Amino acid sequence: MEEEKQKLGKRITPRDAAQVPGSVADGLNRSERVASVSIGVKTFPNSADEQEHSGKSGHDLRVPVINMRGRALMPTTAKKARHLLKNGKAKIVGYAPFCIQLLYATGETIQKIVLGVDAGFKHIGWSVVSATGEILAGEMELRSDIKRLLEKRRQYRRLRRSQLWYRKPRFLNRGKEDWLAPSIEHKLQSHIKLIDRLKAILPIAEVVVEVASFDTQKMQKPEISGVEYQQGELQGYEVREYLLEKWQRKCAYCGKKDVPLEIEHIVPKSRGGSNSVSNLTISCHDCNQKKGNMTAAEFGSPQIQEKAKKTLKAAAFMNAIRWKLVNMLGCGYTYGYITKCNRIKRGLEKSHINDAFVIAGGDTQERSVTVQKGKQVRRQNRSLYKANLLKGGRRKRNTVKEVKGFRRFDKVLYGKVKCFIFGLRSSGYFNVKTIEGEKVSDSVSCKKLTFVERARGRIEEVKRAIPPRAEARGLLAHN
Ligand SMILES: [Zn+2]
């Protein structure tokens, strides 16, 4: 852990880049690895009662409150929520996040609350921030099996139909104009659902989504308009993001990935090379060192010179999705280079939740110590029979839907461990795992399990996140 921190902390700047001491531009070439919240989190009990007792100092869990008519009020503390529940003044309406509904009429004072969304292909990071603190934060892992499953279904369908009868070919029956592939549509809907779910329990005044890593309008043809590296702080970030995107986040010379990448001048500055984007590429530290004072052509990569002159084709696919999201919600938006700049200014590490916190305008507010970690899971498999026949041509029933009241991905209590049913068997002996997929038991009798919550397309758990600020890192080292 200690070593890792030092490695991350070490600044690596391009050999021939102008250095501004103390500037955030120092952070430009810092290596980027997403530290998922799954690293170093502990399982954390789900009821406000338990949470209060195990609480450390700091901004602990906030409990969303809705009034009698179902409108969201300002969230309360776990202590207050426990008190209300004990006195019969409120009831529990949800567990992930833990949420209560008041049973008496009350006035409402509402502060400005902003939801920041780090929209992504595999993960959604979100953070709800008020002027005084981060109220709730979380991360949702999206499904990535949809494309594969639909292709499989299509194959079966084709086979089935080819064996049956002749059908007139049908075509041009896809009316929708703004059609998206089902896997992409699902990602878009997942973002919308998550935002709606949070809006229902928190009085969110504003939603901000990060739409792209850089402003494509402003960055149009920078190779021709001559945008330069190091003009200003934000400019530097934007150029770097642009270059990373253009060179696919790998070293242009050796193709190495997942190493700290540096901005590199194709024709060195010492030999009259400019700072303009058409003279910049991305390389690993070793290649940058080895290339030294040579041009790319002299270093044995003449094609790089050619590629650098071309502009980046229409920005990534995901950007289109994010824009669609913004248009559908009519919400605010920001750019990745701004997020990155602010995140580094505030000394936060790269994670989906930290990004969301910064997107929401988070600055010096106290961070939430707990994190809502979610993962989407598939619902029921609807095919009736297994595709492969048994010996003798018998067809085998596909899956069991329910055994003794348990379903797949139900949250259950095994002893004191909260876990999820990953393997449901008709024998009544199940495979249970934690949300991260760590094995709890391969085969446990359902008699030893206590039902907690149905999955409903996603599984969720409250986790204690390691405080992300720099001061907290010192504490970590002693563990
Ligand atoms: Zn390299």
Side-chain angles (χ1 to χ4, degrees), residues 16-298:
D16 42 8
Q19 302 221 0
V20 189
S23 151
V24 282
D26 291 357
L28 278 180
N29 280 309
R30 215 180 268 188
S31 70
E32 286 266 277
R33 285 193 197 89
V34 175
S36 171
V37 287
S38 65
I39 300 165
V41 287
K42 273 195 279 186
T43 306
F44 196 62
N46 240 0
S47 81
D49 208 46
E50 290 168 79
Q51 268 158 2
E52 174 67 12
H53 286 303
S54 60
K56 284 181 196 163
S57 63
H59 182 118
D60 220 337
L61 178 100
R62 290 283 181 272
V63 180
V65 181
I66 55 177
N67 70 9
M68 281 176 85
R69 286 171 297 152
R71 277 196 56 192
L73 301 174
M74 285 302 288
T76 186
T77 58
K79 192 179 171 187
K80 185 104 185 282
R82 189 157 41 101
H83 187 75
L84 287 167
L85 287 169
K86 214 177 248 173
N87 294 330
K89 288 182 175 169
K91 63 174 182 182
I92 300 169
V93 287
Y95 285 95
F98 187 80
C99 174
I100 60 169
Q101 180 170 26
L102 295 181
L103 298 174
Y104 63 96
T106 167
E108 44 199 84
T109 46
I110 284 170
Q111 297 159 22
K112 197 187 173 209
I113 292 186
V114 181
L115 166 67
V117 179
D118 180 21
F121 203 69
K122 281 187 185 150
H123 295 90
I124 311 175
W126 55 272
S127 173
V128 184
V129 179
S130 76
T132 50
E134 187 181 41
I135 293 163
L136 279 177
E139 191 183 83
M140 173 74 86
E141 191 182 330
L142 300 177
R143 281 179 66 176
S144 54
D145 56 351
I146 290 178
K147 191 177 176 205
R148 179 178 56 82
L149 291 172
L150 288 186
E151 266 166 11
K152 205 167 112 191
R153 186 180 69 181
R154 184 169 175 270
Q155 280 175 6
Y156 290 149
R157 183 171 63 229
R158 290 263 57 88
L159 180 73
R160 194 170 67 240
R161 288 186 180 168
S162 73
Q163 289 167 343
L164 287 177
W165 62 80
Y166 175 75
R167 289 158 59 112
K168 258 187 202 167
R170 296 175 188 174
F171 59 98
L172 298 177
N173 58 352
R174 310 279 192 271
K176 258 169 88 182
E177 240 175 50
D178 51 351
W179 182 87
L180 290 173
S183 56
I184 303 297
E185 181 71 37
H186 178 260
K187 289 182 198 303
L188 179 66
Q189 292 303 329
S190 300
H191 283 83
I192 292 168
K193 257 189 239 165
L194 179 75
I195 292 168
D196 283 348
R197 203 151 55 83
L198 290 169
K199 273 184 165 175
I201 56 169
L202 290 166
I204 291 165
E206 197 188 336
V207 181
V208 182
V209 178
E210 182 183 300
V211 280
S213 51
F214 48 84
D215 188 342
T216 30
Q217 300 295 312
K218 212 165 88 191
M219 284 292 284
Q220 236 170 26
K221 306 196 174 162
E223 281 81 357
I224 295 160
S225 60
V227 176
E228 292 212 341
Y229 174 49
Q230 295 267 332
Q231 275 177 354
E233 291 188 343
L234 280 183
Q235 195 75 52
Y237 274 88
E238 190 156 33
V239 169
R240 184 178 155 85
E241 279 306 314
Y242 181 88
L243 290 170
L244 283 170
E245 198 88 21
K246 180 171 169 177
W247 298 93
Q248 285 120 43
R249 295 178 189 271
K250 59 189 179 191
C251 174
Y253 298 100
C254 69
K256 231 187 255 174
K257 267 186 165 178
D258 299 321
V259 291
L261 294 169
E262 304 172 355
I263 292 176
E264 205 270 333
H265 290 67
I266 294 167
V267 176
K269 273 180 87 177
S270 57
R271 292 173 60 181
S274 74
N275 264 336
S276 82
V277 175
S278 59
N279 189 41
L280 296 173
T281 183
I282 292 285
S283 92
C284 68
H285 186 67
D286 289 350
C287 289
N288 201 351
Q289 291 287 330
K290 263 185 248 161
K291 181 168 170 284
N293 216 17
M294 286 185 274
T295 65
E298 287 165 3

